[in-house]
Amino acid sequence: MDALKDKIHEVGRVLSEDVLKVDSFLNHQIDPQLMKEVGEEFANRYADEVITKVLTIESSGIAPATFLGLTIGAPVVFARKKKSLTLTNNTYTSQVYSFTKQETNDISVSRDFLSADDNVIIIDDFLANGEAVKGLVDIVKQSGAHLVGVGIVIEKGFQQGGKLLREQGLRIESLARIKSLKDGKVEFFEDGEF
Ligand code: 5GP
């Protein structure tokens, strides 16, 4: 997706060979126009599927997931990382190791919002080692819902998550795939190259 890649080149900051900071449009401040286009692009790529629910994880997946939900007319559910007082035991729960925070979080989704009748798409901001997506896939499995596929805003293709998840047969659509963050520069895979 060219508008996304242009934005990453313009304002993304390479913090190390592993970590890209995109706080100004995705992870802290949100660019609603770009997120709207991101939501529409996910909808186009999955136009062949009927989706009844968009599932993401707080907090940075919520913006792209919501614009997809708005585009296709489906509700958006986000997994919570901390148990809320109002979230009782009526939950699906899994564990996610965070690549950037280097800690493990329990994530949970209320059973009220995901069931065996749903066709679910998982959306997240980044794909690195695939831990967040794996936790969300586990929650979809517990619910008995059908998993249509995964949509990722920025995939770091030099880390293993995308490869591992695709090998398991998951459909993963990434809007920008990074080949390398070496020498402080963002290099993308060309379309079709991987
Ligand atoms: P994974 O679970 O695939 O290892 O990592 C994905 C999660 O870690 C995403 O939800 C995202 O919040 C965070 N993450 C991983 N790599 C990066 C990165 O380079 N930059 C930012 N901003 N977040 C990242």
Side-chain angles (χ1 to χ4, degrees), residues 15 18-23 26-27 57-61 81 96-101 124-134 152 154 156 158-159 161-162 165 178 181:
L15 292 192
D18 287 337
V19 179
L20 175 69
K21 188 165 172 166
V22 287
D23 274 19
L26 180 58
N27 291 132
I57 181 166
E58 66 176 352
S59 53
S60 295
K81 287 182 181 158
V96 171
Y97 177 76
S98 164
F99 172 77
T100 42
K101 300 200 175 105
D124 205 7
D125 59 340
F126 272 88
L127 177 59
N129 296 316
E131 295 292 321
V133 170
K134 268 194 263 169
I152 297 291
I154 303 171
K156 290 183 295 179
F158 56 87
Q159 290 175 296
L165 294 165
I178 294 175
L181 292 176

